[in-house]
Amino acid sequence: MKLIIGNKNYSSWSLRAWLAAREGGFSFGEIDIPLFIPGSRERILAHSPSGKVPCLNDNGVLVWDSLAIGEYLAEKQPALLPADATARATARSVTAEMHSGFQALRSKMPMNIRKDYRGFGHTPEVDADIARITAIWNDCRARFGQGGPYLFGRFSLADAAFAPVCFRFQTYGVQPDGAAGEYLATMLANPHMQDWAAAARAETESIPAEDLYD
Ligand SMILES: N[C@@H](CCC(=O)N[C@@H](CS)C(=O)NCC(=O)O)C(=O)O
């Protein structure tokens, strides 16, 4: 199994698939392709039909888009989704909401693990996205979080979906109150998240268009 991913500092979609694969206990190799430099597009297209990362190559089976990769991995490792049907439906709902929404947060607070942009990026739309994410985290923790420290107790695809938001909150100094704040701390202390962050800090490539507040 090989996962094709972009820069660990910036590629939020790559992080989702990578973390799901790590937490699912899969043994996989990585093909790391720095994005938005000459040759990037050709290199990605050699592996990924969409021309985007992440893309999973499981012994010739190609799966692209982080949502599809997560579902594929959860078919092989069902523990990546909650066992209870209501919890599972909610996990899929919040994962899909994250996947298709939060455009203001994405554009004004892009993932950028190496930077300290505390206080930057706030607009009314961004703050509304932050409020909705905080509400999701508090709601999932209260209703489904009894069996562990993650949104649905044990780690699930929903946590992978929100992993880049956790790095964003760290970079931009967003501290949610209550259970959501504790959940943020849990995610940032996750050993796989720390591995990813260490690798991001060690990268030398940068994408100037993403370094919004230098
Ligand atoms: N919805 C896709 C988004 C993938 C995506 O936009 N990937 C970006 C990097 S984070 C990319 O490959 N950009 C390179 C390009 O557009 O040339 C997913 O969930 O995988």
Side-chain angles (χ1 to χ4, degrees):
M1 189 180 271
K2 278 199 167 43
L3 191 62
I4 297 94
I5 56 177
N7 313 51
K8 287 188 168 142
N9 189 55
Y10 301 104
S11 185
S12 56
W13 303 106
S14 297
L15 167 58
R16 293 181 169 109
W18 183 93
L19 187 60
R22 273 280 188 106
E23 281 284 348
F26 295 92
S27 158
F28 63 100
E30 285 175 31
I31 298 176
D32 300 319
I33 303 181
L35 302 175
F36 303 116
I37 58 173
S40 298
R41 183 154 180 78
E42 294 70 23
R43 285 190 67 196
I44 296 173
L45 277 169
H47 299 283
S48 170
S50 65
K52 306 261 187 217
V53 290
C55 181
L56 183 73
N57 186 331
D58 185 16
N59 214 12
V61 178
L62 291 183
V63 192
W64 60 96
D65 196 293
S66 60
L67 198 60
I69 294 169
E71 287 288 339
Y72 180 83
L73 295 176
E75 278 187 16
K76 289 179 172 277
Q77 174 50 276
L80 281 171
L81 281 167
D84 171 74
T86 303
R88 197 163 60 249
T90 310
R92 284 195 163 112
S93 297
V94 299
T95 300
E97 184 177 347
M98 183 66 243
H99 198 73
S100 60
F102 304 110
Q103 298 306 334
L105 182 84
R106 278 189 215 294
S107 67
K108 298 288 190 297
M109 294 186 175
M111 193 173 90
N112 199 328
I113 294 167
R114 289 196 295 259
K115 297 287 181 184
D116 178 351
Y117 284 153
R118 272 176 283 183
F120 287 92
H122 290 272
T123 65
E125 294 77 19
V126 170
D127 290 343
D129 282 353
I130 291 170
R132 173 63 190 145
I133 289 167
T134 302
I136 291 172
W137 290 359
N138 279 326
D139 180 57
C140 291
R141 288 292 304 138
R143 288 167 64 209
F144 304 108
Q146 290 75 22
Y150 293 102
L151 291 178
F152 294 84
R154 263 196 344 227
F155 188 96
S156 76
L157 292 184
D159 302 295
F162 285 103
V165 170
C166 297
F167 282 135
R168 288 178 163 113
F169 281 8
Q170 182 175 58
T171 296
Y172 297 90
V174 177
Q175 183 53 52
D177 290 331
E182 287 160 25
Y183 170 69
L184 174 62
T186 294
M187 284 293 284
L188 292 173
N190 174 292
H192 303 303
M193 288 282 278
Q194 294 203 346
D195 282 355
W196 179 278
R201 291 197 185 93
E203 285 175 348
T204 52
E205 302 86 4
S206 60
I207 304 176
E210 300 280 303
D211 295 341
L212 292 187
Y213 305 104
D214 281 3

PDB file of all heavy atoms in Angstrom, residues 24 28 50 60 82 105 183:
ATOM      1  N   GLY A  24      -5.430   3.438  11.545  1.00  0.00           N
ATOM      2  CA  GLY A  24      -6.021   2.147  11.179  1.00  0.00           C
ATOM      3  C   GLY A  24      -5.022   1.004  11.269  1.00  0.00           C
ATOM      4  O   GLY A  24      -5.385  -0.158  11.067  1.00  0.00           O
ATOM      5  N   PHE A  28       2.152   1.147   5.261  1.00  0.00           N
ATOM      6  CA  PHE A  28       2.109   1.776   3.936  1.00  0.00           C
ATOM      7  C   PHE A  28       3.367   2.601   3.691  1.00  0.00           C
ATOM      8  O   PHE A  28       3.997   3.096   4.626  1.00  0.00           O
ATOM      9  CB  PHE A  28       0.857   2.664   3.783  1.00  0.00           C
ATOM     10  CG  PHE A  28       0.777   3.846   4.728  1.00  0.00           C
ATOM     11  CD1 PHE A  28       1.136   5.121   4.303  1.00  0.00           C
ATOM     12  CD2 PHE A  28       0.350   3.681   6.038  1.00  0.00           C
ATOM     13  CE1 PHE A  28       1.058   6.218   5.167  1.00  0.00           C
ATOM     14  CE2 PHE A  28       0.280   4.761   6.914  1.00  0.00           C
ATOM     15  CZ  PHE A  28       0.629   6.035   6.480  1.00  0.00           C
ATOM     16  N   SER A  50      -6.841  12.151 -10.650  1.00  0.00           N
ATOM     17  CA  SER A  50      -7.478  13.466 -10.471  1.00  0.00           C
ATOM     18  C   SER A  50      -6.467  14.603 -10.576  1.00  0.00           C
ATOM     19  O   SER A  50      -6.847  15.770 -10.645  1.00  0.00           O
ATOM     20  CB  SER A  50      -8.159  13.532  -9.097  1.00  0.00           C
ATOM     21  OG  SER A  50      -7.179  13.454  -8.076  1.00  0.00           O
ATOM     22  N   GLY A  60      -2.278  -1.740  -6.747  1.00  0.00           N
ATOM     23  CA  GLY A  60      -2.896  -1.503  -8.048  1.00  0.00           C
ATOM     24  C   GLY A  60      -4.302  -0.932  -7.979  1.00  0.00           C
ATOM     25  O   GLY A  60      -4.805  -0.416  -8.974  1.00  0.00           O
ATOM     26  N   PRO A  82     -17.380   4.339  14.073  1.00  0.00           N
ATOM     27  CA  PRO A  82     -18.031   3.834  15.288  1.00  0.00           C
ATOM     28  C   PRO A  82     -18.894   2.601  14.989  1.00  0.00           C
ATOM     29  O   PRO A  82     -19.502   2.505  13.919  1.00  0.00           O
ATOM     30  CB  PRO A  82     -18.908   5.004  15.740  1.00  0.00           C
ATOM     31  CG  PRO A  82     -18.339   6.207  15.084  1.00  0.00           C
ATOM     32  CD  PRO A  82     -17.736   5.744  13.796  1.00  0.00           C
ATOM     33  N   LEU A 105     -12.882  29.455   6.724  1.00  0.00           N
ATOM     34  CA  LEU A 105     -11.741  28.996   7.530  1.00  0.00           C
ATOM     35  C   LEU A 105     -10.617  28.494   6.629  1.00  0.00           C
ATOM     36  O   LEU A 105      -9.439  28.801   6.840  1.00  0.00           O
ATOM     37  CB  LEU A 105     -12.199  27.874   8.475  1.00  0.00           C
ATOM     38  CG  LEU A 105     -11.122  27.348   9.404  1.00  0.00           C
ATOM     39  CD1 LEU A 105     -11.008  28.219  10.650  1.00  0.00           C
ATOM     40  CD2 LEU A 105     -11.402  25.913   9.825  1.00  0.00           C
ATOM     41  N   TYR A 183     -10.545  18.337  23.608  1.00  0.00           N
ATOM     42  CA  TYR A 183     -10.405  17.503  22.407  1.00  0.00           C
ATOM     43  C   TYR A 183      -9.260  18.012  21.524  1.00  0.00           C
ATOM     44  O   TYR A 183      -8.441  17.222  21.024  1.00  0.00           O
ATOM     45  CB  TYR A 183     -11.725  17.489  21.628  1.00  0.00           C
ATOM     46  CG  TYR A 183     -11.587  16.866  20.267  1.00  0.00           C
ATOM     47  CD1 TYR A 183     -11.341  15.499  20.141  1.00  0.00           C
ATOM     48  CD2 TYR A 183     -11.657  17.643  19.110  1.00  0.00           C
ATOM     49  CE1 TYR A 183     -11.180  14.924  18.885  1.00  0.00           C
ATOM     50  CE2 TYR A 183     -11.503  17.074  17.859  1.00  0.00           C
ATOM     51  CZ  TYR A 183     -11.262  15.722  17.749  1.00  0.00           C
ATOM     52  OH  TYR A 183     -11.081  15.150  16.523  1.00  0.00           O
TER      53      TYR A 183
END
